[in-house]
Amino acid sequence: MGRLGWGGHFRGLAMRLDGAFGADGTFAHDRLRFVDFVDDVEELLEEVARQERGDEEAADDFEEYVLQHYTGDGG
């Protein structure tokens, strides 16, 4: 992200998503519900969209898309 010039937008990202993945890189379902993780990521994307475009609409459907893709029913 830093090489793309977006490093400033992602300060603290690792801290905000800490605990979402285990040491082996797999999602830690025993520590965090997937829907909560997706909601947190959508909030981060909305923050970036606000900073880059002045409007968070660019990230609006992220959560719905991911949940439909992985659960098949939107949640």
Side-chain angles (χ1 to χ4, degrees), residues 6-67:
W6 295 0
H9 298 300
F10 294 97
R11 286 193 185 113
L13 176 62
M15 236 175 24
R16 289 176 72 176
L17 299 177
D18 187 36
F21 297 92
D24 61 357
T26 59
F27 185 75
H29 291 276
D30 60 328
R31 288 183 261 165
L32 180 66
R33 291 179 350 148
F34 185 69
V35 294
D36 293 335
F37 171 74
V38 173
D39 184 53
D40 289 346
V41 171
E42 182 179 56
E43 288 179 21
L44 292 169
L45 291 174
E46 287 173 347
E47 183 178 315
V48 170
R50 259 191 310 277
Q51 291 175 6
E52 285 294 310
R53 304 177 118 196
D55 185 4
E56 66 185 44
E57 298 293 320
D60 264 356
D61 296 324
F62 173 80
E63 183 175 9
E64 182 179 336
Y65 172 80
V66 170
L67 293 178

